Every structure is written in structure tokens, then in C-alpha cells.
Short mmCIF file of all heavy atoms in Angstrom, two decimals:
data_model
loop_
_atom_site.label_atom_id
_atom_site.label_comp_id
_atom_site.label_asym_id
_atom_site.label_seq_id
_atom_site.Cartn_x
_atom_site.Cartn_y
_atom_site.Cartn_z
N MET C 587 23.19 -26.93 -6.40
CA MET C 587 22.52 -25.82 -5.76
C MET C 587 23.50 -24.66 -5.59
O MET C 587 24.64 -24.86 -5.24
CB MET C 587 22.03 -26.26 -4.38
CG MET C 587 20.59 -25.99 -4.20
SD MET C 587 19.96 -26.48 -2.60
CE MET C 587 18.34 -26.85 -3.21
N SER C 588 23.02 -23.47 -5.85
CA SER C 588 23.85 -22.29 -5.64
C SER C 588 23.23 -21.42 -4.56
O SER C 588 22.02 -21.48 -4.32
CB SER C 588 24.02 -21.50 -6.94
OG SER C 588 22.78 -20.99 -7.37
N GLU C 589 24.05 -20.63 -3.92
CA GLU C 589 23.58 -19.75 -2.85
C GLU C 589 23.79 -18.30 -3.25
O GLU C 589 24.69 -17.98 -4.01
CB GLU C 589 24.31 -20.02 -1.54
CG GLU C 589 23.94 -21.34 -0.92
CD GLU C 589 24.45 -21.48 0.51
OE1 GLU C 589 25.00 -20.52 1.08
OE2 GLU C 589 24.30 -22.58 1.04
N PHE C 590 22.91 -17.44 -2.73
CA PHE C 590 23.08 -16.01 -2.89
C PHE C 590 22.52 -15.33 -1.65
O PHE C 590 21.75 -15.91 -0.89
CB PHE C 590 22.42 -15.49 -4.17
CG PHE C 590 20.92 -15.64 -4.24
CD1 PHE C 590 20.08 -14.56 -3.98
CD2 PHE C 590 20.34 -16.85 -4.61
CE1 PHE C 590 18.71 -14.69 -4.07
CE2 PHE C 590 18.96 -16.98 -4.71
CZ PHE C 590 18.14 -15.89 -4.44
N SER C 591 22.96 -14.10 -1.41
CA SER C 591 22.53 -13.34 -0.24
C SER C 591 21.93 -12.02 -0.67
O SER C 591 22.35 -11.43 -1.67
CB SER C 591 23.72 -13.07 0.69
OG SER C 591 24.22 -14.27 1.22
N LEU C 592 20.94 -11.58 0.09
CA LEU C 592 20.31 -10.30 -0.14
C LEU C 592 20.57 -9.39 1.05
O LEU C 592 20.54 -9.85 2.20
CB LEU C 592 18.80 -10.45 -0.31
CG LEU C 592 18.31 -11.25 -1.50
CD1 LEU C 592 16.79 -11.38 -1.44
CD2 LEU C 592 18.73 -10.62 -2.80
N ARG C 593 20.82 -8.13 0.77
CA ARG C 593 20.87 -7.10 1.81
C ARG C 593 19.47 -6.49 1.85
O ARG C 593 18.94 -6.08 0.82
CB ARG C 593 21.91 -6.03 1.49
CG ARG C 593 22.07 -5.03 2.62
CD ARG C 593 23.27 -4.14 2.41
NE ARG C 593 23.31 -3.62 1.06
CZ ARG C 593 23.03 -2.36 0.73
NH1 ARG C 593 22.71 -1.49 1.65
NH2 ARG C 593 23.09 -1.97 -0.51
N ILE C 594 18.88 -6.44 3.03
CA ILE C 594 17.48 -6.02 3.18
C ILE C 594 17.42 -4.80 4.08
O ILE C 594 17.89 -4.82 5.22
CB ILE C 594 16.63 -7.16 3.76
CG1 ILE C 594 16.80 -8.42 2.90
CG2 ILE C 594 15.17 -6.75 3.83
CD1 ILE C 594 16.29 -9.68 3.54
N ASP C 595 16.81 -3.74 3.58
CA ASP C 595 16.66 -2.50 4.34
C ASP C 595 15.34 -2.48 5.09
O ASP C 595 14.34 -3.00 4.61
CB ASP C 595 16.71 -1.29 3.40
CG ASP C 595 18.04 -1.17 2.68
OD1 ASP C 595 19.07 -1.53 3.27
OD2 ASP C 595 18.04 -0.72 1.51
N GLY C 596 15.35 -1.87 6.26
CA GLY C 596 14.12 -1.65 7.02
C GLY C 596 13.76 -2.70 8.04
O GLY C 596 12.71 -2.63 8.66
N MET C 597 14.62 -3.68 8.25
CA MET C 597 14.34 -4.71 9.25
C MET C 597 14.79 -4.20 10.62
O MET C 597 15.91 -3.70 10.76
CB MET C 597 15.06 -6.01 8.91
CG MET C 597 14.58 -6.64 7.64
SD MET C 597 15.52 -8.13 7.21
CE MET C 597 15.00 -9.25 8.51
N HIS C 598 13.90 -4.35 11.64
CA HIS C 598 14.22 -3.82 12.96
C HIS C 598 13.98 -4.80 14.11
O HIS C 598 14.42 -4.54 15.22
CB HIS C 598 13.39 -2.56 13.23
CG HIS C 598 13.59 -1.49 12.21
ND1 HIS C 598 14.75 -0.75 12.14
CD2 HIS C 598 12.80 -1.06 11.21
CE1 HIS C 598 14.64 0.10 11.14
NE2 HIS C 598 13.48 -0.07 10.55
N CYS C 599 13.25 -5.90 13.85
CA CYS C 599 12.85 -6.75 14.98
C CYS C 599 12.55 -8.17 14.52
O CYS C 599 12.63 -8.49 13.34
CB CYS C 599 11.61 -6.14 15.64
SG CYS C 599 10.17 -6.09 14.55
N GLY C 600 12.19 -8.99 15.47
CA GLY C 600 11.84 -10.37 15.18
C GLY C 600 10.64 -10.51 14.26
O GLY C 600 10.57 -11.42 13.44
N SER C 601 9.70 -9.59 14.37
CA SER C 601 8.54 -9.62 13.49
C SER C 601 8.96 -9.38 12.04
O SER C 601 8.43 -10.01 11.12
CB SER C 601 7.52 -8.56 13.92
OG SER C 601 6.41 -8.55 13.07
N CYS C 602 9.92 -8.49 11.84
CA CYS C 602 10.45 -8.24 10.49
C CYS C 602 11.11 -9.51 9.94
O CYS C 602 10.91 -9.85 8.77
CB CYS C 602 11.47 -7.11 10.51
SG CYS C 602 10.81 -5.49 10.93
N ILE C 603 11.87 -10.18 10.77
CA ILE C 603 12.52 -11.42 10.34
C ILE C 603 11.47 -12.44 9.92
O ILE C 603 11.61 -13.10 8.89
CB ILE C 603 13.42 -11.98 11.46
CG1 ILE C 603 14.62 -11.06 11.67
CG2 ILE C 603 13.88 -13.40 11.14
CD1 ILE C 603 15.47 -11.40 12.87
N ARG C 604 10.41 -12.57 10.68
CA ARG C 604 9.33 -13.50 10.37
C ARG C 604 8.65 -13.15 9.04
O ARG C 604 8.42 -14.02 8.20
CB ARG C 604 8.33 -13.53 11.52
CG ARG C 604 7.35 -14.64 11.50
CD ARG C 604 6.54 -14.77 12.79
NE ARG C 604 6.25 -13.53 13.50
CZ ARG C 604 6.91 -13.07 14.57
NH1 ARG C 604 7.91 -13.75 15.07
NH2 ARG C 604 6.57 -11.94 15.15
N ARG C 605 8.35 -11.86 8.83
CA ARG C 605 7.70 -11.43 7.58
C ARG C 605 8.60 -11.68 6.38
O ARG C 605 8.15 -12.14 5.34
CB ARG C 605 7.32 -9.96 7.66
CG ARG C 605 6.13 -9.73 8.58
CD ARG C 605 5.76 -8.28 8.76
NE ARG C 605 5.60 -7.58 7.49
CZ ARG C 605 5.84 -6.28 7.34
NH1 ARG C 605 6.25 -5.56 8.36
NH2 ARG C 605 5.67 -5.70 6.19
N VAL C 606 9.89 -11.36 6.51
CA VAL C 606 10.84 -11.60 5.43
C VAL C 606 10.96 -13.10 5.15
O VAL C 606 10.93 -13.52 3.99
CB VAL C 606 12.21 -10.98 5.78
CG1 VAL C 606 13.31 -11.51 4.87
CG2 VAL C 606 12.14 -9.47 5.69
N SER C 607 11.07 -13.90 6.18
CA SER C 607 11.18 -15.35 6.01
C SER C 607 9.97 -15.92 5.28
O SER C 607 10.12 -16.73 4.36
CB SER C 607 11.33 -16.04 7.36
OG SER C 607 12.52 -15.67 7.99
N GLN C 608 8.79 -15.48 5.67
CA GLN C 608 7.56 -15.97 5.03
C GLN C 608 7.49 -15.54 3.57
O GLN C 608 7.10 -16.33 2.70
CB GLN C 608 6.34 -15.48 5.79
CG GLN C 608 6.18 -16.14 7.14
CD GLN C 608 5.10 -15.50 8.00
OE1 GLN C 608 4.65 -14.39 7.74
NE2 GLN C 608 4.68 -16.22 9.02
N ALA C 609 7.84 -14.29 3.29
CA ALA C 609 7.80 -13.80 1.91
C ALA C 609 8.78 -14.57 1.03
O ALA C 609 8.46 -14.96 -0.09
CB ALA C 609 8.11 -12.31 1.87
N LEU C 610 9.98 -14.80 1.53
CA LEU C 610 10.98 -15.52 0.75
C LEU C 610 10.62 -17.00 0.59
O LEU C 610 10.83 -17.58 -0.48
CB LEU C 610 12.36 -15.38 1.38
CG LEU C 610 12.95 -13.97 1.32
CD1 LEU C 610 14.21 -13.88 2.15
CD2 LEU C 610 13.21 -13.55 -0.13
N ALA C 611 10.05 -17.60 1.62
CA ALA C 611 9.65 -19.00 1.55
C ALA C 611 8.57 -19.23 0.49
O ALA C 611 8.47 -20.32 -0.08
CB ALA C 611 9.18 -19.48 2.91
N SER C 612 7.77 -18.19 0.22
CA SER C 612 6.71 -18.33 -0.78
C SER C 612 7.20 -18.03 -2.19
O SER C 612 6.43 -18.11 -3.14
CB SER C 612 5.55 -17.40 -0.43
OG SER C 612 5.92 -16.05 -0.60
N THR C 613 8.48 -17.72 -2.35
CA THR C 613 9.05 -17.41 -3.66
C THR C 613 9.46 -18.70 -4.35
O THR C 613 10.28 -19.47 -3.83
CB THR C 613 10.28 -16.48 -3.51
OG1 THR C 613 9.89 -15.31 -2.80
CG2 THR C 613 10.83 -16.09 -4.86
N GLU C 614 8.90 -18.93 -5.52
CA GLU C 614 9.18 -20.15 -6.26
C GLU C 614 10.65 -20.25 -6.63
O GLU C 614 11.27 -19.29 -7.10
CB GLU C 614 8.35 -20.17 -7.54
CG GLU C 614 8.45 -21.47 -8.29
CD GLU C 614 7.54 -21.52 -9.49
OE1 GLU C 614 6.51 -20.82 -9.50
OE2 GLU C 614 7.87 -22.26 -10.42
N GLY C 615 11.23 -21.41 -6.36
CA GLY C 615 12.61 -21.66 -6.72
C GLY C 615 13.63 -21.23 -5.69
O GLY C 615 14.83 -21.35 -5.92
N VAL C 616 13.16 -20.73 -4.53
CA VAL C 616 14.07 -20.23 -3.51
C VAL C 616 13.90 -21.04 -2.23
O VAL C 616 12.80 -21.31 -1.79
CB VAL C 616 13.78 -18.74 -3.21
CG1 VAL C 616 14.56 -18.27 -2.00
CG2 VAL C 616 14.11 -17.89 -4.42
N GLU C 617 15.01 -21.44 -1.64
CA GLU C 617 15.01 -22.09 -0.33
C GLU C 617 15.71 -21.15 0.65
O GLU C 617 16.82 -20.71 0.39
CB GLU C 617 15.74 -23.42 -0.39
CG GLU C 617 15.77 -24.13 0.95
CD GLU C 617 16.54 -25.45 0.88
OE1 GLU C 617 16.57 -26.08 -0.18
OE2 GLU C 617 17.11 -25.82 1.92
N VAL C 618 15.04 -20.85 1.75
CA VAL C 618 15.60 -19.95 2.75
C VAL C 618 16.57 -20.72 3.62
O VAL C 618 16.21 -21.72 4.24
CB VAL C 618 14.48 -19.33 3.62
CG1 VAL C 618 15.06 -18.41 4.67
CG2 VAL C 618 13.47 -18.58 2.75
N LYS C 619 17.80 -20.25 3.67
CA LYS C 619 18.82 -20.86 4.52
C LYS C 619 18.91 -20.16 5.86
O LYS C 619 19.00 -20.79 6.90
CB LYS C 619 20.20 -20.81 3.83
CG LYS C 619 20.30 -21.67 2.61
CD LYS C 619 20.15 -23.10 3.00
CE LYS C 619 20.63 -24.02 1.92
NZ LYS C 619 20.55 -25.42 2.33
N GLU C 620 18.88 -18.81 5.83
CA GLU C 620 19.01 -18.03 7.07
C GLU C 620 18.52 -16.61 6.83
O GLU C 620 18.78 -16.02 5.79
CB GLU C 620 20.48 -18.00 7.49
CG GLU C 620 20.75 -17.22 8.75
CD GLU C 620 22.23 -17.22 9.09
OE1 GLU C 620 23.08 -17.14 8.19
OE2 GLU C 620 22.52 -17.30 10.29
N VAL C 621 17.80 -16.09 7.81
CA VAL C 621 17.39 -14.68 7.78
C VAL C 621 17.81 -14.05 9.10
O VAL C 621 17.52 -14.57 10.17
CB VAL C 621 15.86 -14.52 7.58
CG1 VAL C 621 15.46 -13.06 7.64
CG2 VAL C 621 15.42 -15.15 6.27
N ARG C 622 18.54 -12.95 8.99
CA ARG C 622 18.96 -12.14 10.14
C ARG C 622 18.57 -10.71 9.86
O ARG C 622 18.23 -10.37 8.73
CB ARG C 622 20.47 -12.21 10.32
CG ARG C 622 20.98 -13.56 10.73
CD ARG C 622 22.45 -13.50 10.95
NE ARG C 622 22.96 -14.78 11.40
CZ ARG C 622 24.14 -14.96 11.88
NH1 ARG C 622 24.98 -13.94 11.97
NH2 ARG C 622 24.54 -16.13 12.28
N LEU C 623 18.68 -9.87 10.87
CA LEU C 623 18.38 -8.45 10.65
C LEU C 623 19.28 -7.92 9.54
O LEU C 623 20.50 -7.94 9.66
CB LEU C 623 18.59 -7.65 11.92
CG LEU C 623 17.55 -7.85 13.02
CD1 LEU C 623 17.92 -7.03 14.25
CD2 LEU C 623 16.17 -7.48 12.54
N GLY C 624 18.68 -7.49 8.46
CA GLY C 624 19.41 -6.86 7.36
C GLY C 624 19.91 -7.77 6.26
O GLY C 624 20.36 -7.31 5.23
N THR C 625 19.84 -9.11 6.46
CA THR C 625 20.33 -10.02 5.43
C THR C 625 19.52 -11.30 5.37
O THR C 625 18.88 -11.70 6.34
CB THR C 625 21.80 -10.43 5.66
OG1 THR C 625 21.89 -11.15 6.88
CG2 THR C 625 22.73 -9.24 5.68
N ALA C 626 19.58 -11.92 4.21
CA ALA C 626 18.99 -13.24 4.03
C ALA C 626 19.93 -14.04 3.15
O ALA C 626 20.46 -13.53 2.16
CB ALA C 626 17.62 -13.15 3.38
N ARG C 627 20.15 -15.30 3.53
CA ARG C 627 20.96 -16.22 2.73
C ARG C 627 20.01 -17.25 2.14
O ARG C 627 19.24 -17.89 2.88
CB ARG C 627 22.04 -16.87 3.59
CG ARG C 627 23.06 -17.64 2.79
CD ARG C 627 24.27 -18.01 3.64
NE ARG C 627 23.90 -18.67 4.89
CZ ARG C 627 23.81 -20.00 5.05
NH1 ARG C 627 24.09 -20.82 4.06
NH2 ARG C 627 23.48 -20.50 6.23
N LEU C 628 20.06 -17.41 0.82
CA LEU C 628 19.12 -18.26 0.11
C LEU C 628 19.86 -19.23 -0.79
O LEU C 628 21.01 -19.00 -1.15
CB LEU C 628 18.19 -17.39 -0.76
CG LEU C 628 17.56 -16.20 -0.04
CD1 LEU C 628 17.01 -15.21 -1.03
CD2 LEU C 628 16.49 -16.67 0.90
N SER C 629 19.17 -20.31 -1.18
CA SER C 629 19.76 -21.22 -2.15
C SER C 629 18.71 -21.51 -3.23
O SER C 629 17.51 -21.33 -3.03
CB SER C 629 20.24 -22.51 -1.49
OG SER C 629 19.16 -23.24 -0.98
N THR C 630 19.20 -21.97 -4.38
CA THR C 630 18.34 -22.25 -5.51
C THR C 630 19.02 -23.26 -6.42
O THR C 630 20.25 -23.38 -6.42
CB THR C 630 17.99 -20.97 -6.29
OG1 THR C 630 17.06 -21.28 -7.30
CG2 THR C 630 19.22 -20.33 -6.89
N VAL C 631 18.23 -23.96 -7.21
CA VAL C 631 18.77 -24.83 -8.25
C VAL C 631 18.68 -24.13 -9.61
O VAL C 631 19.19 -24.64 -10.60
CB VAL C 631 18.05 -26.20 -8.30
CG1 VAL C 631 18.32 -26.98 -7.03
CG2 VAL C 631 16.58 -26.03 -8.54
N GLN C 632 18.04 -22.99 -9.64
CA GLN C 632 17.87 -22.26 -10.90
C GLN C 632 19.14 -21.50 -11.27
O GLN C 632 19.85 -20.99 -10.41
CB GLN C 632 16.70 -21.29 -10.80
CG GLN C 632 15.37 -21.97 -10.60
CD GLN C 632 14.22 -20.99 -10.54
OE1 GLN C 632 14.36 -19.82 -10.86
NE2 GLN C 632 13.07 -21.46 -10.13
N ASP C 633 19.38 -21.43 -12.56
CA ASP C 633 20.52 -20.65 -13.06
C ASP C 633 20.03 -19.80 -14.21
O ASP C 633 19.57 -20.35 -15.21
CB ASP C 633 21.63 -21.58 -13.52
CG ASP C 633 22.90 -20.82 -13.86
OD1 ASP C 633 23.16 -19.80 -13.20
OD2 ASP C 633 23.61 -21.26 -14.78
N PRO C 634 20.04 -18.51 -14.10
CA PRO C 634 20.54 -17.71 -12.99
C PRO C 634 19.57 -17.74 -11.81
O PRO C 634 18.38 -18.06 -11.97
CB PRO C 634 20.63 -16.29 -13.58
CG PRO C 634 19.58 -16.26 -14.63
CD PRO C 634 19.53 -17.67 -15.19
N PRO C 635 20.05 -17.40 -10.62
CA PRO C 635 19.20 -17.38 -9.43
C PRO C 635 18.04 -16.40 -9.60
O PRO C 635 18.21 -15.35 -10.22
CB PRO C 635 20.12 -16.92 -8.30
CG PRO C 635 21.50 -17.04 -8.83
CD PRO C 635 21.42 -17.00 -10.31
N PRO C 636 16.88 -16.71 -9.04
CA PRO C 636 15.71 -15.84 -9.18
C PRO C 636 15.75 -14.64 -8.22
O PRO C 636 14.84 -14.41 -7.43
CB PRO C 636 14.54 -16.77 -8.87
CG PRO C 636 15.12 -17.76 -7.91
CD PRO C 636 16.55 -17.94 -8.34
N VAL C 637 16.81 -13.86 -8.32
CA VAL C 637 17.00 -12.71 -7.44
C VAL C 637 15.84 -11.72 -7.58
O VAL C 637 15.30 -11.23 -6.60
CB VAL C 637 18.35 -12.01 -7.71
CG1 VAL C 637 18.48 -10.73 -6.90
CG2 VAL C 637 19.49 -12.96 -7.42
N ASP C 638 15.44 -11.43 -8.82
CA ASP C 638 14.35 -10.48 -9.05
C ASP C 638 13.05 -10.91 -8.39
O ASP C 638 12.32 -10.09 -7.85
CB ASP C 638 14.12 -10.26 -10.55
CG ASP C 638 15.28 -9.53 -11.21
OD1 ASP C 638 16.08 -8.90 -10.49
OD2 ASP C 638 15.38 -9.60 -12.45
N LEU C 639 12.76 -12.22 -8.42
CA LEU C 639 11.54 -12.72 -7.77
C LEU C 639 11.61 -12.55 -6.26
O LEU C 639 10.62 -12.17 -5.62
CB LEU C 639 11.33 -14.20 -8.11
CG LEU C 639 10.99 -14.54 -9.55
CD1 LEU C 639 10.90 -16.05 -9.73
CD2 LEU C 639 9.70 -13.87 -9.97
N ALA C 640 12.77 -12.81 -5.67
CA ALA C 640 12.94 -12.65 -4.23
C ALA C 640 12.82 -11.18 -3.83
O ALA C 640 12.15 -10.85 -2.84
CB ALA C 640 14.28 -13.23 -3.79
N VAL C 641 13.44 -10.30 -4.59
CA VAL C 641 13.37 -8.86 -4.31
C VAL C 641 11.93 -8.37 -4.44
O VAL C 641 11.46 -7.59 -3.60
CB VAL C 641 14.33 -8.07 -5.24
CG1 VAL C 641 14.08 -6.58 -5.15
CG2 VAL C 641 15.78 -8.40 -4.89
N ALA C 642 11.22 -8.84 -5.44
CA ALA C 642 9.81 -8.44 -5.63
C ALA C 642 8.94 -8.95 -4.48
O ALA C 642 8.04 -8.23 -4.01
CB ALA C 642 9.29 -8.96 -6.96
N ALA C 643 9.19 -10.16 -4.01
CA ALA C 643 8.41 -10.70 -2.88
C ALA C 643 8.63 -9.86 -1.63
O ALA C 643 7.69 -9.61 -0.87
CB ALA C 643 8.81 -12.15 -2.62
N LEU C 644 9.85 -9.40 -1.42
CA LEU C 644 10.13 -8.56 -0.26
C LEU C 644 9.51 -7.17 -0.41
O LEU C 644 9.01 -6.61 0.56
CB LEU C 644 11.63 -8.45 -0.03
CG LEU C 644 12.30 -9.76 0.41
CD1 LEU C 644 13.80 -9.59 0.47
CD2 LEU C 644 11.74 -10.23 1.73
N ALA C 645 9.50 -6.64 -1.61
CA ALA C 645 8.88 -5.33 -1.85
C ALA C 645 7.39 -5.38 -1.53
O ALA C 645 6.83 -4.41 -1.00
CB ALA C 645 9.11 -4.89 -3.29
N LYS C 646 6.74 -6.51 -1.82
CA LYS C 646 5.31 -6.66 -1.53
C LYS C 646 5.00 -6.57 -0.04
O LYS C 646 3.90 -6.18 0.33
CB LYS C 646 4.79 -7.98 -2.08
CG LYS C 646 4.63 -7.99 -3.57
CD LYS C 646 4.06 -9.31 -4.05
CE LYS C 646 3.98 -9.34 -5.55
NZ LYS C 646 3.49 -10.64 -6.04
N VAL C 647 5.96 -6.94 0.80
CA VAL C 647 5.74 -6.87 2.25
C VAL C 647 6.46 -5.68 2.87
O VAL C 647 6.58 -5.58 4.09
CB VAL C 647 6.11 -8.19 2.97
CG1 VAL C 647 5.17 -9.31 2.55
CG2 VAL C 647 7.56 -8.57 2.76
N GLY C 648 6.96 -4.77 2.03
CA GLY C 648 7.46 -3.50 2.52
C GLY C 648 8.95 -3.37 2.77
O GLY C 648 9.38 -2.46 3.48
N PHE C 649 9.75 -4.26 2.19
CA PHE C 649 11.20 -4.20 2.40
C PHE C 649 11.92 -4.05 1.07
O PHE C 649 11.62 -4.74 0.11
CB PHE C 649 11.70 -5.47 3.10
CG PHE C 649 11.15 -5.65 4.47
CD1 PHE C 649 10.04 -6.46 4.69
CD2 PHE C 649 11.72 -5.02 5.55
CE1 PHE C 649 9.52 -6.63 5.96
CE2 PHE C 649 11.20 -5.17 6.83
CZ PHE C 649 10.09 -5.97 7.03
N ALA C 650 12.90 -3.15 1.06
CA ALA C 650 13.76 -3.00 -0.11
C ALA C 650 14.94 -3.94 0.04
O ALA C 650 15.48 -4.10 1.13
CB ALA C 650 14.25 -1.57 -0.22
N ALA C 651 15.33 -4.59 -1.06
CA ALA C 651 16.44 -5.53 -1.00
C ALA C 651 17.26 -5.46 -2.28
O ALA C 651 16.77 -5.03 -3.32
CB ALA C 651 15.91 -6.94 -0.81
N GLN C 652 18.50 -5.88 -2.13
CA GLN C 652 19.38 -5.97 -3.30
C GLN C 652 20.37 -7.11 -3.08
O GLN C 652 20.65 -7.50 -1.94
CB GLN C 652 20.09 -4.67 -3.57
CG GLN C 652 21.00 -4.20 -2.47
CD GLN C 652 21.58 -2.82 -2.77
OE1 GLN C 652 21.39 -2.26 -3.83
NE2 GLN C 652 22.32 -2.28 -1.83
N LEU C 653 20.90 -7.62 -4.18
CA LEU C 653 21.86 -8.69 -4.12
C LEU C 653 23.13 -8.21 -3.42
O LEU C 653 23.65 -7.15 -3.72
CB LEU C 653 22.20 -9.15 -5.55
CG LEU C 653 23.11 -10.36 -5.68
CD1 LEU C 653 22.46 -11.60 -5.06
CD2 LEU C 653 23.43 -10.60 -7.14
N GLU C 654 23.60 -9.02 -2.48
CA GLU C 654 24.84 -8.71 -1.78
C GLU C 654 26.00 -9.26 -2.60
O GLU C 654 25.94 -10.38 -3.07
CB GLU C 654 24.83 -9.38 -0.39
CG GLU C 654 25.19 -8.48 0.70
CD GLU C 654 25.09 -9.15 2.07
OE1 GLU C 654 25.32 -10.36 2.19
OE2 GLU C 654 24.78 -8.44 3.00
N GLN C 655 27.03 -8.48 -2.77
CA GLN C 655 28.17 -8.91 -3.59
C GLN C 655 29.14 -9.72 -2.78
O GLN C 655 29.54 -9.51 -1.76
CB GLN C 655 28.85 -7.72 -4.23
CG GLN C 655 27.94 -6.96 -5.14
CD GLN C 655 27.39 -7.76 -6.32
OE1 GLN C 655 27.96 -8.76 -6.73
NE2 GLN C 655 26.26 -7.36 -6.81
#
């Protein structure tokens, strides 16, 4: 299993954390490890990690995200 983190713009409250967690949990191939304001830590068995799918899932619920280096 490999891990990756996303930087997420526009999160302000607990409701945002819940929406982000739900969107990421519904992304195929992604396991949510932790979601905090502005970041999410995820794991996957896929290589390469499905970063694009996770970013797209967040865009659908109104959050911009990018891979954290």
C-alpha cells in the first residue's frame, strides 16, 4: 500500500471535513486515512495512485485539490 496527500482549498469547518471525507471514501481504489482542514491523507494499492480520481471527486463537491509534494 502506498500513501499520498492532497492539499484541499476552501475547507472552513467540520461540515467541509465531512463532505471531503464522504467524497474521497466513494472514490474507487482510495482509502481515507485522515482528513483535516486543508489536507487529506489517503492510501491505495494502485500504482500509480488514483490522484486524478480523488481530485475529480472533490471538484464534484466544490473543493479544489492538488497532490501535496
Side-chain angles (χ1 to χ4, degrees):
M587 233 180 211
S588 65
E589 290 192 7
F590 63 101
S591 295
L592 296 176
R593 185 169 48 106
I594 306 166
D595 298 327
M597 295 177 69
H598 303 287
C599 63
S601 179
C602 294
I603 292 172
R604 193 170 33 260
R605 287 176 52 210
V606 165
S607 296
Q608 290 171 343
L610 292 171
S612 69
T613 304
E614 187 175 334
V616 171
E617 180 181 331
V618 179
K619 293 295 197 177
E620 180 181 38
V621 176
R622 292 183 177 192
L623 288 177
T625 63
R627 190 168 51 93
L628 311 164
S629 66
T630 185
V631 294
Q632 295 182 13
D633 188 34
V637 174
D638 292 342
L639 292 177
V641 169
L644 292 174
K646 285 182 184 178
V647 294
F649 296 96
Q652 62 185 355
L653 185 63
E654 229 177 31
Q655 299 300 337

